[in-house]
Amino acid sequence: MEMKYMAIAACIILGVFMIISELKRPNKAFLTARILASIVAILSLYYMLFPVQYQADQKSIHEINLLTRGTAKDSITGIKGNSYTTEQEIANTARSEKVKFIADLPYFLKSNPRINALKVYGYGLSKDQLKGLDNYQMSFHPAPDPVGVVSCSWNWKLASTEKLQLEGTYHNDSTEPVKLLLRGFGANLDSVRINPKEYSRFTLHDQPKQSGRAVYELIAMRGSDTVAREFVPIQTSEVLPSSVLILSSYPDFEYKFLKNWLFENKFAVTMRSRISKDKFSTDFLNTSKSNMERINPAVLKKTDLLVVDEEELNALSASEYNAISRAAESGMGILIRLGDPGLKTKTALVNGFSVYRLPDEKSKQLNMHFPGQQPAFGVLPIEQRSFLKPRPNDQMLVTDLSGKGLVNSHLYGSGKVLLSSVPATYNWLLAGKEQDYNRFWSALFSKALKKLSKTESWLMIPAFPVPGQKTRFIVDQDQKDKVPLIEINDHRLSPAQNIELPFKWDAISWPQKQGWNIITINNKPDYFYVYHPGNWNAAINHQNRKITTEFVSNTRTVKAGSADFENTVSKSVSLWWFLLLFLCSAGFLWYESRILSAKF
């Protein structure tokens, strides 16, 4: 744009100079013609540098066939018109059908502006490839939905206390069942059966016992045949155990099972149970012993989460309660177990919630779930009479199936306070429903514990990169005015800042090494995995098929040769016209100054 303004200024200066020169010339013959010729010459020169653009209706369709993965080789011969592909494998196998290879689709379309319609065959294009195709007429001829693991996700970064959870969908089009195995460290860790002729959701679990990087395998077996083998990379990091302090007004089974669960999940647990007014029993698991006669700031400074029942909270001294309140304001989490319906609370921590009671009901079972999530928890054989009502700025974490609140939470200074009215969850363990117990307490502890803020985070697109594939790394960092230092395998990248979100930076790389690769952000190393080209093809193809179908349904479609189609395109006036005008006007000025001026 600056060059254009400079050219305009230069043309104006030159035009003024030429007109003044003509006006000062003693011979006034052909003065008007010479001034007009000078203006035409200058304008022609300008428009040769910056061509005139105009909008035109392009009524004809110039269509190509674009073959993507999944296009059946037998169907290629029946496709009429020019066929192209971005897949080298298709180009190699379809040479006799004269399918041309496109290394870069956006560059190819930019170089061929007459093309305005695409017929896409196969599984379609990725989200990144569909960018910039909004102005093209598109039709999609999808291949049948792929067979195998068509979607899958897992928590690939885990703390040492977390469990690996693999969730996805398997498409089994055969008449035989398929067995999915999660395998790692030379052993089968979990399995699930997929029924014949079904799209089935599946969930697989494992508790990693080693820290560091590892690659699991997701194996699909039909009888004794292996029909699919996918890699599942994970990173497990050792974390300092969160410190949990339990204050119990009396020993009960709920505390006993919770204490054991915390110990098995490597929490540092200190438990104090009141025996009489001033006597306590104490337990120390995964932590050293300390004096627990009085709850003071020194004790709470080492505590990340306090679990306490309402009765014990009422029994604490004023100094102990004040110390707990200040610790919560500084970031310590608190989980309070609601007491008996007849108990009158004395503390602001409980009075900050809205509690209501219902009369005795005939039902002696409790059905509950996370709001908006499935599945529901297993049934608890208890009578529930106490419920919670959300107030402004509260977050209801658990409700019964009718929507009545069971676990509520809100911020308290820098910390978070949770109130639970569920009296006994250990019945899940007695009934063999360990998964429900783990889901419940893991969610509550995750909400209550203070989160450590990260200065940088990153996202990789696509999720399953292969060697040599263009891969985007989107980096978020707190310092929006500082360019992040991003390196992939010791090769520095040049990130671009997002105009609308200045804390986001976008970098492009083409990783060449299969397996674990290193990404370093501001001198902090991390790892990502580059897959074998044959991995997760069913999931990638299913996703492309879905994205392309949605994209095409939201764009105008038209049949080739339709007379109703109109497409507005930008065109440029030919430079030859301006060159001809420049030569004519410059020729007249020369002819007039050399020949005509001598006659007049």
Side-chain angles (χ1 to χ4, degrees):
M1 188 61 71
E2 292 182 1
M3 291 293 294
K4 190 172 184 178
Y5 290 142
M6 292 174 63
I8 291 173
C11 288
I12 291 174
I13 294 171
L14 180 59
V16 171
F17 173 77
M18 293 180 67
I19 292 172
I20 292 175
S21 298
E22 294 296 337
L23 293 174
K24 288 183 176 181
R25 199 176 72 146
N27 187 350
K28 303 298 183 180
F30 302 102
L31 176 61
T32 302
R34 287 185 62 83
I35 291 175
L36 289 174
S38 299
I39 294 173
V40 170
I42 292 171
L43 289 176
S44 300
L45 184 63
Y46 172 79
Y47 285 122
M48 281 192 287
L49 295 174
F50 301 97
V52 176
Q53 300 280 335
Y54 68 95
Q55 299 294 318
D57 290 335
Q58 183 178 347
K59 294 183 183 261
S60 60
I61 293 181
H62 298 278
E63 186 177 58
I64 65 168
N65 302 306
L66 186 61
L67 312 183
T68 64
R69 283 198 296 182
T71 305
K73 186 178 179 181
D74 296 340
S75 66
I76 295 177
T77 56
I79 298 175
K80 297 180 180 180
N82 298 322
S83 294
Y84 298 84
T85 183
T86 57
E87 301 292 334
Q88 187 67 62
E89 183 179 354
I90 295 178
N92 293 338
T93 58
R95 285 179 179 174
S96 59
E97 283 77 20
K98 297 182 179 179
V99 177
K100 298 178 181 178
F101 176 70
I102 302 173
D104 190 304
L105 181 60
Y107 178 81
F108 172 78
L109 295 175
K110 191 82 172 177
S111 304
N112 296 270
R114 285 171 57 82
I115 297 173
N116 52 35
L118 302 174
K119 271 188 175 180
V120 182
Y121 294 83
Y123 292 125
L125 302 169
S126 67
K127 188 175 183 180
D128 195 51
Q129 291 173 314
L130 289 170
K131 287 182 179 179
L133 300 183
D134 304 77
N135 295 325
Y136 289 85
Q137 295 297 317
M138 292 184 64
S139 60
F140 185 36
H141 305 270
D145 203 17
V147 176
V149 183
V150 294
S151 69
C152 192
S153 62
W154 63 92
N155 49 335
W156 68 283
K157 281 191 172 184
L158 304 114
S160 55
T161 57
E162 290 183 278
K163 286 191 174 182
L164 170 64
Q165 181 165 311
L166 200 75
E167 297 180 338
T169 303
Y170 191 93
H171 177 204
N172 182 11
D173 71 337
S174 72
T175 57
E176 299 179 29
V178 169
K179 184 178 182 180
L180 282 182
L181 294 172
L182 179 63
R183 186 173 177 81
F185 307 106
N188 295 333
L189 307 170
D190 200 359
S191 64
V192 66
R193 183 180 186 271
I194 307 297
N195 294 325
K197 299 292 183 180
E198 280 190 5
Y199 282 86
S200 296
R201 295 280 303 169
F202 65 85
T203 303
L204 298 168
H205 301 88
D206 181 53
Q207 176 66 64
K209 296 178 176 58
Q210 290 97 339
S211 297
R213 299 182 301 281
V215 180
Y216 285 70
E217 289 181 316
L218 179 62
I219 303 172
M221 303 285 295
R222 185 183 297 122
S224 59
D225 297 330
T226 300
V227 294
R229 185 186 297 270
E230 311 290 3
F231 293 157
V232 181
I234 67 165
Q235 290 188 71
T236 306
S237 58
E238 283 287 351
V239 294
L240 294 174
S242 296
S243 177
V244 179
L245 171 61
I246 300 177
L247 300 180
S248 168
S249 60
Y250 56 90
D252 72 347
F253 284 111
E254 184 73 350
Y255 281 128
K256 177 183 177 180
F257 283 96
L258 180 59
K259 177 186 67 175
N260 293 337
W261 181 81
L262 290 169
F263 172 71
E264 291 171 0
N265 285 278
K266 302 180 182 179
F267 286 87
V269 183
T270 301
M271 182 172 176
R272 190 188 77 171
S273 299
R274 189 179 292 271
I275 300 174
S276 62
K277 183 177 180 181
D278 294 317
K279 291 185 178 180
F280 308 94
S281 66
T282 55
D283 291 293
F284 301 92
L285 305 176
N286 295 329
T287 187
S288 58
K289 293 184 178 181
S290 58
N291 186 355
M292 296 300 297
E293 291 297 322
R294 305 292 295 176
I295 304 302
N296 53 47
V299 171
L300 298 174
K301 187 176 182 180
K302 299 180 291 184
T303 301
D304 298 312
L305 175 64
L306 169 66
V307 180
V308 60
D309 54 72
E310 188 180 6
E311 292 92 333
E312 181 64 15
L313 203 58
N314 285 340
L316 295 175
S317 66
S319 61
E320 289 178 312
Y321 178 81
N322 291 334
I324 289 173
S325 296
R326 288 193 295 270
E329 291 174 351
S330 300
M332 183 186 73
I334 302 179
L335 173 58
I336 304 172
R337 293 180 59 205
L338 196 63
D340 293 332
L343 181 67
K344 186 176 181 180
T345 187
K346 305 175 184 177
T347 65
L349 286 172
V350 176
N351 287 330
F353 294 91
S354 178
V355 182
Y356 65 98
R357 320 284 183 180
L358 293 179
D360 293 348
E361 296 183 1
K362 294 182 180 179
S363 175
K364 303 295 183 180
Q365 293 183 334
L366 176 61
N367 294 271
M368 58 184 180
H369 70 149
F370 297 132
Q373 295 187 28
Q374 293 294 336
F377 290 101
V379 176
L380 287 174
I382 56 178
E383 180 184 0
Q384 185 70 23
R385 295 176 56 195
S386 299
F387 296 93
L388 309 176
K389 185 182 297 183
R391 291 180 175 179
N393 302 320
D394 282 359
Q395 182 184 17
M396 193 65 67
L397 302 180
V398 182
T399 66
D400 69 2
L401 298 186
S402 65
K404 296 191 291 291
L406 295 169
V407 181
N408 198 5
S409 69
H410 58 226
L411 294 176
Y412 192 89
S414 299
K416 188 174 285 188
V417 178
L418 277 63
L419 181 65
S420 172
S421 63
V422 183
T425 59
Y426 65 88
N427 291 290
W428 279 325
L429 296 177
L430 297 179
K433 298 178 180 178
E434 294 184 6
Q435 185 175 345
D436 287 333
Y437 191 88
N438 291 335
R439 284 176 59 216
F440 181 85
W441 286 108
S442 294
L444 265 57
F445 275 57
S446 176
K447 289 291 184 181
L449 285 168
K450 184 178 180 180
K451 302 295 188 298
L452 297 176
S453 60
K454 294 183 178 180
T455 55
E456 300 96 5
S457 61
W458 59 276
L459 173 69
M460 178 176 62
I461 301 174
F464 303 112
V466 297
Q469 183 180 16
K470 178 182 177 182
T471 307
R472 291 176 60 203
F473 295 90
I474 302 174
V475 176
D476 291 5
Q477 68 171 12
D478 293 340
Q479 297 177 322
K480 63 181 180 181
D481 297 327
K482 179 184 177 182
V483 180
L485 176 61
I486 305 174
E487 294 181 345
I488 302 294
N489 299 325
D490 296 326
H491 295 287
R492 186 169 180 176
L493 306 183
S494 299
Q497 189 174 27
N498 189 303
I499 297 175
E500 297 179 351
L501 303 171
F503 56 87
K504 285 186 177 291
W505 297 80
D506 203 324
I508 304 294
S509 180
W510 286 262
Q512 301 298 318
K513 185 179 70 171
Q514 182 184 327
W516 290 105
N517 288 248
I518 301 176
I519 177 172
T520 305
I521 303 174
N522 296 331
N523 298 317
K524 298 175 183 177
D526 204 347
Y527 295 87
F528 65 96
Y529 195 84
V530 176
Y531 296 82
H532 185 276
N535 284 149
W536 298 108
N537 278 342
I540 295 170
N541 294 335
H542 173 80
Q543 182 72 4
N544 289 351
R545 188 178 187 270
K546 179 181 177 182
I547 290 172
T548 305
T549 300
E550 293 173 352
F551 183 87
V552 171
S553 66
N554 292 327
T555 60
R556 294 175 301 166
T557 57
V558 66
K559 294 182 180 179
S562 173
D564 296 331
F565 171 70
E566 285 192 10
N567 186 29
T568 302
V569 295
S570 295
K571 291 188 176 182
S572 301
V573 177
S574 175
L575 299 180
W576 290 103
W577 290 110
F578 296 108
L579 179 60
L580 180 61
L581 286 174
F582 178 80
L583 293 176
C584 290
S585 56
F588 169 75
L589 292 173
W590 176 86
Y591 179 76
E592 193 278 337
S593 63
R594 292 291 185 273
I595 298 174
L596 291 181
S597 62
K599 296 180 180 180
F600 294 91

